[in-house]
Each structure stands twice: as structure tokens, then as C-alpha cells.
């Protein structure tokens, strides 16, 4: 499927639900968005999946989880640029030239990626030099030895230098997404890295609680930025790093409006989601059961925002458990 852009001024976004209920007028449907075809924008990215005998959904359960997209102004010209990740092929960076015209600058920029199976991507000023950098999560190939995450540092001239290893975040887990934010309020960006378990779903011994058993490769990680080098502080910060964490979504926001950033993590399968409340001393406390009366049973992504304008952010979680009773029963595993 080709990527198509739907463009509209952000000012009109709050009217989206209202406009969707207004129906049609004599001139046709009322719309707030204009569909921009690839032949007009020059964005023709396709996350092409090639089913192969040795590598497919039966051999890799995340085969259809998809890639990622990041938006940001990489050259400070006032226009938002677009980076797409590809699972099986090269990633792509499109430079916004204005008037909804984009140029593929991937090769010259040096950001196509050399690792296998790219997933989530983030744009953030990782080193604090005023230029947006690009952090790409990778989830490995069939051999499992080519999944280090990549950090492309912006050189300020539309080129990037891959420096994940120098910064200490060339993580080798099955990474899903990285969220950059200043959790300790020391003025630089830290990193919460969401990883998906590499262990087969049916191979877990759930007779004992595995949540507190830390896995150095498969678990989530919190990295503290110390002079542009990231240190894993997960254990002392109270972040779970278990192999049972099938992380698929992470969102950051100030849940209790105390001025400190909190974290919500979506976990697939049998592990609950996490709400990490910032203790304002470099540590977090997981508070999901204290703050939620009901939760998703198989969380995918999550987002956070103040929907009702009361000053506090709501949390929206997507769930893939079937809603119809018949389909739910047909998808349930029984002994």
C-alpha cells in the first residue's frame, strides 16, 4: 500500500468529531482533509513484506507488527520532514520542500539503516545541539545477530552520522520504540527503550511471578543521559526488565500534573501494562492496579492527551482481543 498524506491545519483538529457528524451538503461531503496522492507529494514509500519459506509469520510472530514513522524539521527550514522505517527493506527520509512537495534524500543523508527489521523511530535532539537526530529501533533477522538499534546524529548539513554505539544505546533487544524525555529534569533527554520479548509465548513457566526477574537483553530499559552517553539505570529507577514484557507501545506524559514526566507501557499477551509514576528523585513506582479499575488484556499501542480539557491527560489503549463472544471463544487456547 502506498503512503498517502492527508493534510489540514492543526487549528481545525478539535472540530474533527463534530465535522464527521454533519453529513453531506448540496455540494458534496464536508471534509477537513485533502488526500494527497503519491504522484503529487513524491512520497511513494511502501513497507513491503516478502513472505519467504525461511522467514514468515510462522517463524517470526511480529512479522505483521508494522514499521514506524517520525516527523520533524531536520534542517530548520520551518517545514516538517518525514522518516519511514521498513521491516525488510531500506528506511526512507523525505525532505519537505514546501507546498506538500517532498524529496527522497535517504542515500545522501546516510540514514537508510544497515540493521535488520526496523520498527519504531523517534526524532529528538539527543545531544542538545539544536538539531533533530533520528533513533531507529531494530528487531533482528532470522539469525538474531543483526538487531542493534541505530542513532543517526544530525550534522547540520542534511547528513547524519550513525553513533548509537558511542552514545551507549546500540541496544540488542527486540526493540519496539524509544521515547526520549527528561525524566530527572537535569536539562538533557533520557531514553525509555521498549523491548518485545524474544522468547516463544508457550515456553513460559507462569507458576511463579517472573516480573521481577531481570533479563539483560529482552527487558525494557531506562537510560539516563550523562554528558551525551547513556547509562542503563533501570534497576535503581524501578523499571521492570523481565522477559515477560511484550512491549508494543510507550507514551510519556505528566499524569498527575506535578511537573514530572510519567510513563505508560502497553504489554501484549499475559503481562499487565505498566504505569510508572515519577517519584521526583530519579525513581519510578509502578501504580497500574492502584490507578486502573479495568485494563486491556492484549495491549497494542497507547496515547495520552487531555481529551476533556480538565487539565489532566487521559490514556487511550488499543486492544486486539476480539469483542464478539463467538470470535473470542474461537481464539481462546484450551488444554
Amino acid at each position: 500500500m502506498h503512503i498517502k498524506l492527508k493534510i489540514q491545519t492543526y487549528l481545525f483538529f478539535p472540530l474533527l468529531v463534530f465535522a464527521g457528524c454533519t453529513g453531506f451538503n448540496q455540494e458534496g461531503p464536508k471534509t477537513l482533509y485533502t488526500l494527497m496522492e503519491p504522484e503529487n507529494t513524491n512520497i511513494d514509500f511502501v513497507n513491503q513484506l516478502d513472505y519467504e519459506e525461511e522467514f514468515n509469520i510462522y517463524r517470526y510472530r511480529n512479522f505483521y507488527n508494522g514499521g514506524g514513522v517520525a516527523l520533524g524539521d531536520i534542517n530548520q527550514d520551518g517545514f516538517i520532514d518525514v522518516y519511514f522505517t521498513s521491516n525488510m527493506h531500506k528506511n526512507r527520509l523525505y525532505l519537505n520542500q514546501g507546498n506538500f512537495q517532498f524529496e527522497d534524500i535517504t542515500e545522501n543523508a546516510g540514514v537508510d539503516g544497515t540493521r535488520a527489521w526496523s520498527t519504531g523511530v523517534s526524532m529528538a535532539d539527543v545531544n542538545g545541539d539544536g538539531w533533530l537526530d533520528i533513533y531507529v529501533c531494530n528487531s533482528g533477522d532470522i539469525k538474531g545477530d543483526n538487531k542493534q538499534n541505530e542513532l543517526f546524529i544530525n550534522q547540520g548539513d542534511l547528513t547524519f552520522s550513525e553513533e548509537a554505539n558511542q552514545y551507549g544505546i546500540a541496544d540488542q533487544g527486540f526493540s519496539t520504540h524509544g521515547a526520549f524525555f527528561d525524566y530527572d529534569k537535569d536539562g538533557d533527554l533520557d531514553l525509555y527503550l521498549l523491548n518485545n520479548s524474544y522468547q516463544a509465548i508457550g515456553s513460559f513457566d507462569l507458576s511463579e511471578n517472573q516480573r521481577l526477574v531481570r533479563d539483560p537483553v529482552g527487558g525494557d530499559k531506562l537510560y539516563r543521559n550523562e554528558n551525551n552517553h547513556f547509562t542503563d539505570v533501570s534497576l535503581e529507577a524501578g523499571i521492570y526488565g523481565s522477559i515477560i514484557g511484550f512491549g508494543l507501545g510507550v507514551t510519556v506524559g505528566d499524569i498527575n500534573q506535578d511537573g514530572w514526566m510519567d510513563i505508560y507501557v502497553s504489554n501484549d499477551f499475559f503481562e499487565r501494562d505498566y504505569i510508572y509514576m515519577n517519584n521526583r528523585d530519579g525513581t519510578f513506582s509502578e501504580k497500574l492496579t492502584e490507578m486502573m479499575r479495568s485494563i486491556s488484556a492484549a495491549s497494542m499501542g497507547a496515547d495520552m492527551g487531555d481529551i476533556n480539557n480538565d487539565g489532566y491527560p487521559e490514556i487511550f489503549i488499543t486492544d486486539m482481543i476480539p469483542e464478539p463472544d463467538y470470535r473470542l471463544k474461537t481464539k481462546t487456547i484450551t488444554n
Side-chain angles (χ1 to χ4, degrees):
M1 177 181 295
H2 287 287
I3 299 296
K4 299 181 180 181
L5 294 186
K6 294 188 177 181
I7 306 297
Q8 179 60 27
T9 307
Y10 289 119
L11 177 64
F12 295 135
F13 180 75
L15 302 179
L16 180 60
V17 174
F18 172 78
C21 301
T22 57
F24 297 82
N25 59 23
Q26 292 182 350
E27 287 91 26
K30 293 182 179 179
T31 62
L32 294 177
Y33 295 88
T34 301
L35 182 62
M36 307 295 289
E37 299 289 348
E39 51 267 29
N40 297 325
T41 65
N42 297 319
I43 293 182
D44 59 353
F45 174 81
V46 178
N47 185 22
Q48 181 68 41
L49 296 178
D50 302 319
Y51 189 100
E52 302 170 355
E53 183 177 354
E54 294 299 320
F55 191 58
N56 50 61
I57 184 60
Y58 300 104
R59 293 180 175 268
Y60 183 58
R61 67 167 176 269
N62 293 338
F63 192 82
Y64 291 123
N65 276 16
V69 58
L71 306 177
D73 184 1
I74 63 167
N75 60 341
Q76 300 184 9
D77 65 352
F79 295 104
I80 299 298
D81 311 300
V82 187
Y83 186 97
F84 294 102
T85 64
S86 176
N87 297 144
M88 304 187 77
H89 301 279
K90 294 297 184 180
N91 304 326
R92 305 275 287 279
L93 175 62
Y94 290 90
L95 183 70
N96 191 335
Q97 299 177 310
N99 197 31
F100 308 125
Q101 299 294 305
F102 293 82
E103 178 188 358
D104 185 346
I105 63 167
T106 309
E107 185 174 348
N108 290 336
V111 294
D112 55 357
T114 61
R115 303 299 181 181
W117 207 269
S118 295
T119 53
V121 55
S122 302
M123 283 189 185
D125 183 7
V126 175
N127 57 3
D129 66 353
W131 297 87
L132 287 180
D133 310 300
I134 304 173
Y135 186 64
V136 177
C137 290
N138 299 303
S139 282
D141 57 11
I142 193 169
K143 297 178 182 179
D145 59 358
N146 190 31
K147 57 184 179 296
Q148 295 87 343
N149 294 342
E150 297 166 292
L151 174 63
F152 299 101
I153 295 296
N154 197 327
Q155 303 299 298
D157 59 359
L158 293 180
T159 68
F160 293 77
S161 173
E162 202 290 299
E163 302 181 21
N165 191 56
Q166 296 92 308
Y167 278 74
I169 48 177
D171 195 88
Q172 298 187 53
F174 282 80
S175 297
T176 303
H177 191 61
F180 289 89
F181 67 109
D182 186 6
Y183 81 91
D184 52 3
K185 300 183 74 169
D186 66 349
D188 55 26
L189 293 181
D190 311 297
L191 169 65
Y192 187 97
L193 182 61
L194 185 70
N195 280 335
N196 196 285
S197 177
Y198 57 81
Q199 189 167 323
I201 301 167
S203 64
F204 288 89
D205 178 9
L206 300 179
S207 61
E208 297 181 2
N209 185 3
Q210 300 294 313
R211 177 180 289 180
L212 301 180
V213 180
R214 185 168 299 277
D215 186 278
V217 177
D220 294 355
K221 297 181 179 70
L222 178 66
Y223 287 98
R224 183 176 62 218
N225 189 341
E226 299 174 340
N227 298 319
N228 289 334
H229 188 273
F230 289 80
T231 302
D232 185 352
V233 296
S234 309
L235 181 60
E236 53 263 48
I239 301 299
Y240 295 136
S242 172
I243 194 67
I244 66 173
F246 290 81
L248 288 181
V250 56
T251 185
V252 174
D254 186 0
I255 293 175
N256 59 354
Q257 295 296 286
D258 65 350
W260 296 73
M261 301 300 281
D262 311 299
I263 309 167
Y264 190 95
V265 173
S266 299
N267 281 315
D268 197 2
F269 300 115
F270 39 76
E271 175 63 323
R272 291 193 303 253
D273 294 354
Y274 305 140
I275 293 181
Y276 291 112
M277 298 303 296
N278 197 321
N279 294 324
R280 300 181 290 183
D281 60 1
T283 69
F284 291 82
S285 295
E286 203 287 301
K287 299 284 189 179
L288 182 107
T289 56
E290 299 176 28
M291 302 179 70
M292 291 282 190
R293 289 181 292 181
S294 62
I295 61 173
S296 169
S299 294
M300 302 287 103
D303 202 358
M304 194 181 299
D306 184 8
I307 294 177
N308 59 357
N309 294 319
D310 65 352
Y312 289 89
E314 281 66 54
I315 302 173
F316 181 88
I317 303 102
T318 56
D319 188 336
M320 69 170 296
I321 289 294
E323 183 177 354
D325 184 66
Y326 172 79
R327 182 167 171 78
L328 179 61
K329 286 181 169 56
T330 60
K331 298 302 177 183
T332 300
I333 298 176
T334 58
N335 294 325

